[in-house]
Amino acid sequence: MSMHPMLSSLRHHKLTVFLLILQVALTCAVVCNVVFLVVDRIQQIALPSGLDEPMLSIIESQSIDKKQNQLARHDADLAALRAIPGVKMAVAADSLPFGDQESSYGTCATLEQLEQAAKLRSMQTNGCVQPAAYAGTPGELNTLGIHLVAGRDFRDDEYVDDDKVPAAILSAELAQKLFPAGNALGNTIYTGERKPIRVVGIVQTLVRPRLYAFGTNQLTMLFPSKSADSYIFYVLRSAPADRQRVLKAAAAKLMQLDPDRILPPEQMQTFEDLRRAYFQRDRTMVGLLVASCAGLLFVTALGISGLANFWVQQRRRQIGVRRAIGATRSEILRHFLLENFVIVSAGILVGVVLAVVLNLLLMKQYEVPRLPWFYLPAGALVLWSLGQLAVLAPAMRASAVPPVVATRSA
Amino acid sequence: MFGYYLDMALRSLKRNRVLTGLMVLALALGIGASMTTLTVFASLSADPLPEKSSQLFYVQVDPYPKNEPFSRSGKLPWLMSYIDAMNLLHAGRAERQAAMALSKVKLTPENAQQRPFFSDGVMTTADFFGMFDVPFQYGSGWSAGDDEARAKVVVIAGLLNDRLFGGANSVGRILRIGDQAFRIIGVLRPWAPQPHFYSLYLGGRDYGAGDAVFLPLQSARAIGQMPINLFSYAAGDKQKLETAPSTWLGFWVQLPNTEAASAYRSFLGDYVRQQVALGRFQRSDAGLSSLMQWLRDQKVVPDNVRVQMGMAFSFLLICIVNTVGLLLAKCLRRSAEISVRRALGASRAAIFMQFMVEASLVGMAGGLLGLVFAELGLWCIRRQPAEYASLAQLDVRMFVSTFAVALVASLIAGILPAWRACAMAPAPQLKSA
């Protein structure tokens, strides 16, 4: 079938064709970028923490008695918590993944690098990073279910009650960053204390308490340090079905042991609740973006099929003539489908350029990452199918026009 | 004549009910989405103190060494050291001035049944209340004398008063803060400027409920209250906040007119140069930003709100293009009708008007439906746990602008089809018909 009749008929509707191309182009640009934003957010929401999440519950205790020996308090609390039926393990920790509060330390692979970084007041120099450190009581690794890939857990004699730790366990990503040669285990790292810290273990995944930028979310380490802070998280490990009961029992037990403390009800939750709360905003954003994307595609489909409908009605006579001189139904159908394909393709061509421009703009303004190339053909595919679907009904109607129309006067 | 256009437009719209419905729906979706996000954006970027904001200025100086700057791009430190804040406060060169920091405050109710709890506290100086027009329900703020004497007095928010004293006049009663007794001298009416302009960088929330406890800065420090946010050089600085070069205070001044503002600016320049001469400072930059300028510079409106608004408006743009296309197709189909009217004596202007009336009818219907969508969208946002969720309310201004946007959008969409219709030559159309 030749393209000629179709192209010449399009030439008669320059303005409407132009508008349709414009609409498809804008839709293509916006949809590509929005879907990219949505996928980016969803990846964040589903980010693995490295913890055995379904087994964990958290309770935060804020002591208000300043004179109390917090270390002794935490030990007594933990002993009582471990005695609760259903609690398999319990530890005290100063911070948790998605817990929002983090302690981070400028950390370097050698002392010289640390001195250089201190002089420049920046951890952006070679061999230095700013990882988050988790301090916790013995057994933290097992209780949280963090998977050790090399080395060992801390020995009891390595634990201290400040940040002058002798040993550390690094996340695989941090180990790679500090020791690109892969020799992290057994090596030493340096923080602001300027004392060597031996790397005794490496864990596969452990995410920061607070996500910043892509590429830094896994920069974490564990310290064998008992927190003497009056604010502390108790992490309880139990069977998933026991979590609510265990939490309630734990709160009652803690208040009974020492009433001079605050247990904020919003910080008494399962780990899954903590994660849900942390990503609440992102989920809202995803919902809004998906809704607007669906709206956009809907409106575009509406425009395509509305215009096609008009064209069919307007050209009833011409269609009848073509049928009368021998065009088959399927040729008429194909004419309209092909016409739509040409228009949408032109729109996509412009739209791809617009999508890249829009992405560059977003990158400049809002630290959005670069749009991966495969979003463009994917977006094109979606718009092609949308166009074909939208035009199908009018095209069917066109193919149903009987040849006899040609003989009637308009 | 207008009535006649209206009648014609209605007839034409009725002839293609489904298409008209779809046009209205598409426009309404675009308008609903853009009005929802615009409302959120407008309430987030609104003036927190409309009566006073033009007189309020935020002061910044730079005590950082030249080779270890606060920021590489030359930005001034957000907060001020205690020494500079007190120097500027005591100089008293503005009509009013106050230094402030936020602090978590532990409160112990007198009532033994109520358990101790932590509350959001503001440590500040006497002028805070007068400068920000803070409304009092009972009592008043404290004086500069109370500041100097480290008086144990406190002003509490109405919400806290309701919680502790059942809303009764609690002036003169005792509130236990930490383990010290403070005398209540004032109770506020609900006061929570949005955004919380005075506590940017002090470690609090930018939007949402206001702070609960207001303490004289020196009195609070005397009982060991720590600021939430603190930028310091050395670890030991935390123990001597008053003398260390740590920055932890926000400093605001009230300057009633431009002369006062320029006078203060030159005073500030002199102060900074003097500090450079004394060797305390190495950079002689200083900042004096009006309230709205400060909010703009610090980009207080969350980025994702901006992204959403951009999204919604590109959506509206596509909806408008869509409407243009459909109206155009409709108008081209009616060339015979237009030609008959032209042949019977209708002027081009009359045809143009007729099509514009038709477009604006679509616009008004779209606006009406868009309003419903906008309310729906805002309702969804209010149900979110974001700090600013409760601000998402459609006010009269937004209500009116919804229709303005709808009308403008539809008129823009109508111009092209209307122009095509009136530019058509009637004769050939009549012949072929």
Side-chain angles (χ1 to χ4, degrees), chain B residues 312-323:
Chain B
F313 274 90
S314 39
F315 185 23
L316 180 62
L317 179 68
I318 292 168
C319 291
I320 292 174
V321 174
N322 185 54
T323 313

Side-chain angles (χ1 to χ4, degrees), chain B residues 45 178 191 201 253 260 272 291 327 357 432:
Chain B
S45 55
W191 186 70
Y201 299 112
V253 292
V272 170
L291 193 160
L327 280 175
V357 168
S432 76

